Amino acid sequence: MLKRIDPLLTGELLAILRDMGHGDEIALVDANFPAASVARRLVRLPGTDIERAAVAVLAVLPLDDFVAAPAAAMADPDGRPTIHDAFERILATAEGRPVAMEAIDRFAFYDRARAAFAVIATGETRLYANLVLKKGVVRS
């Protein structure tokens, strides 16, 4: 155990987050997402919902403030999923400011996840509960 480090952040996951560079992306995905067939690097958090995983990751991962929207969520063709409200609250809390999040269609999301540095597969069962985060820089 480490002080002030969320225990959900395993050594493997911390190493991935550390190794990511500015502009690299990480995808946090729900239990229905085809993570094993998409991921270059896969971390499984099967007993964890996506909100809990996002809070833990964003506790150590700076978001890119050089781009208009450093986060992207999977869009539902039938309307805005309620999980998007939770994502926006989590992003704003982590960054101390509102953070733009774009909604992208399912296949565009698959492409982003395929290109991502890593994929975190959660146990989330809500539909369209998928989020991509773009890493920023740590400012002194």
Side-chain angles (χ1 to χ4, degrees):
M1 298 294 294
L2 300 169
K3 291 181 180 181
R4 294 183 291 278
I5 299 291
D6 190 312
L8 193 64
L9 300 175
T10 63
E12 175 191 20
L13 183 48
L14 283 169
I16 286 170
L17 295 170
R18 178 203 61 214
D19 290 347
M20 290 173 64
H22 178 215
D24 282 341
E25 293 186 329
I26 190 159
L28 289 80
V29 300
D30 63 32
N32 291 300
F33 191 85
S37 64
V38 168
R40 294 177 1 190
R41 294 167 192 84
L42 177 61
V43 175
R44 293 187 184 277
L45 300 176
T48 305
D49 67 44
I50 194 128
E51 291 179 57
R52 174 81 174 84
V55 167
V57 167
L58 287 165
V60 297
L61 184 81
L63 291 177
D64 195 343
D65 58 2
F66 290 99
V67 297
M74 184 184 284
D76 178 348
D78 296 324
R80 181 180 163 93
T82 57
I83 189 67
H84 288 199
D85 295 331
F87 287 161
E88 287 176 342
R89 281 192 306 276
I90 291 166
L91 291 164
T93 298
E95 290 292 298
R97 61 178 172 80
V99 173
M101 179 183 77
E102 64 180 321
I104 59 176
D105 86 302
R106 181 172 62 134
F107 296 106
F109 191 95
Y110 288 167
D111 290 341
R112 290 275 289 271
R114 200 170 280 112
F117 191 86
V119 174
I120 299 171
T122 70
E124 181 61 63
T125 58
R126 288 175 284 183
L127 300 179
Y128 299 99
N130 301 292
L131 181 66
V132 170
L133 303 172
K134 184 178 291 285
K135 187 176 183 180
V137 298
V138 175
R139 299 181 187 279
S140 54

